[in-house]
Amino acid sequence: MATPLFHGSIVALVTPMTHGEVNYEELKKLVEYHVQAGTHGIVSVGTTGESTTLSIDENVKVIKKTVEFADGRIPVIAGTGSNATSEAIILTKLLTNSGVAGCLSVVPYYNKPTQEGMYLHYKAIAESTDLPQILYNVPSRTGSDLKPETIGRLAKIPNIVGVKEATGDLTRLPLIKQLAGEDFIFLSGDDATGLESMKLGGQGVISVTNNVAAADMAKMCELALAGKFDEAEVINQRLMALHHDLFIEANPIPVKWAAYKLGLISEPNLRLPLTTLSEVAQPKVLAALQKAGLI
């Protein structure tokens, strides 16, 4: 089987901010860091990129600038999800001919649609564009779970090409593959179980850890996709504290602080209602960075 466009270590990229405004110079440096580290793809303005506190204009500008900075060297996936189908379609259409490789669209949050509602939501988005669509299932944030059976139905729509599964439930992977077909791309959205998902046939990880351990995550995924699971496990175990402790407070609070400690961004700040990592949590994230050999 040919290697899919979306595979390996894909970073859920933070959006650097200075005094509450997007810092595009630092964004350019982050993109370059990932290109040089061998990261296999970038998700721009997903959960980790603070999509919910950016305006539509800011969402589009950050994504387009990320594409510009990547300059064809690494695929950029645009975060285009919304809990309103009409808004998700608007965001998707605004990125037509922008150079993005595809879109990542989160399950509608807060309003808790039925499985049929989710199916019709994604069907409407897919029919509004030619861009490849990746479903994004993260029930802990959305309050709704996109069931494997619904993913199987959606996989029949030609430009719905994959799913980011952030449940951490590995029993779903074989069922999704069975229902959606072997060509349907399965990307883990859970760093702690990402390697295990690749052992079961997943194609990669959309990763928070990658923000601060890009080269290690790229190498781990390459080894795993080559079937060298023992070698991949050595790296994975060194990063395991990060996989867990970058979620000690709501993402992206800890990873922004970690990126700041490593000098990748100049401020760890986020837009309200998110706040900077608490002093109580900082030693634990620092210890995880040390265990990973990053400081």
Side-chain angles (χ1 to χ4, degrees):
M1 189 187 301
T3 302
L5 175 61
F6 308 125
H7 73 279
S9 180
I10 301 170
V11 63
L13 192 66
V14 298
T15 300
M17 296 180 185
T18 302
H19 306 305
E21 297 301 318
V22 177
N23 186 323
Y24 290 98
E25 281 303 309
E26 291 195 354
L27 179 62
K28 183 176 183 179
K29 290 176 184 175
L30 286 179
V31 172
E32 197 60 36
Y33 161 70
H34 285 287
V35 170
Q36 297 304 319
T39 298
H40 301 102
I42 293 173
V43 169
S44 179
V45 198
T47 305
T48 312
E50 296 176 71
S51 57
T52 53
T53 57
L54 297 180
S55 69
I56 286 181
D57 286 346
E58 286 176 318
N59 267 270
V60 172
K61 184 176 179 181
V62 171
I63 291 163
K64 287 185 174 180
K65 281 290 186 183
T66 303
V67 171
E68 177 189 324
F69 299 148
D71 194 24
R73 297 172 294 169
I74 183 173
V76 176
I77 301 164
T80 53
S82 172
N83 65 334
T85 307
S86 57
E87 184 172 288
I89 289 171
I90 289 168
L91 269 168
T92 304
K93 285 186 171 181
L94 286 169
L95 292 161
T96 301
N97 300 321
S98 65
V100 299
C103 298
L104 180 70
S105 189
V106 71
V107 165
Y109 42 86
Y110 186 74
N111 40 17
K112 300 180 79 170
T114 62
Q115 295 300 305
E116 185 65 14
M118 286 184 252
Y119 172 78
L120 292 172
H121 169 82
Y122 281 119
K123 181 175 182 285
I125 295 168
E127 289 176 349
S128 76
T129 183
D130 291 328
L131 287 168
Q133 300 292 305
I134 302 171
L135 314 170
Y136 176 15
N137 189 37
V138 56
S140 63
R141 282 185 177 269
T142 64
S144 299
D145 182 12
L146 185 67
K147 300 294 186 184
E149 292 77 10
T150 307
I151 295 171
R153 288 179 70 197
L154 287 165
K156 294 179 173 63
I157 298 170
N159 59 331
I160 296 181
V161 300
V163 64
K164 174 187 177 183
E165 259 283 331
T167 60
D169 180 359
L170 295 171
T171 64
R172 296 169 71 109
L173 195 160
L175 181 57
I176 289 169
K177 284 283 187 183
Q178 178 189 335
L179 294 169
E182 284 301 316
D183 290 339
F184 194 73
I185 300 166
F186 186 101
L187 299 168
S188 172
D190 178 59
D191 276 301
T193 58
L195 176 56
E196 294 304 312
S197 79
M198 284 186 279
K199 290 178 182 178
L200 293 171
Q203 284 96 340
V205 187
I206 295 180
S207 168
V208 174
T209 299
N210 188 333
N211 278 281
V212 293
D216 283 331
M217 284 297 297
K219 184 65 175 174
M220 185 199 79
C221 288
E222 286 167 6
L223 288 167
L225 292 173
K228 299 178 180 179
F229 298 122
D230 290 345
E231 293 174 59
E233 190 64 61
V234 172
I235 300 172
N236 194 47
Q237 285 305 312
R238 180 160 48 80
L239 299 178
M240 190 56 72
L242 276 178
H243 294 339
H244 288 290
D245 293 338
L246 289 180
F247 298 90
I248 193 170
E249 291 179 5
N251 179 46
I253 292 172
V255 73
K256 264 202 158 175
W257 187 85
Y260 161 71
K261 290 301 287 185
L262 294 179
L264 295 169
I265 57 176
S266 60
E267 290 185 18
N269 299 337
L270 307 94
R271 284 186 180 170
L272 289 172
L274 298 179
T275 52
T276 306
L277 187 66
S278 66
E279 289 188 10
V280 173
Q282 287 175 16
K284 196 155 190 181
V285 175
L286 192 63
L289 289 168
Q290 289 168 336
K291 285 177 185 174
L294 297 172
I295 54 174

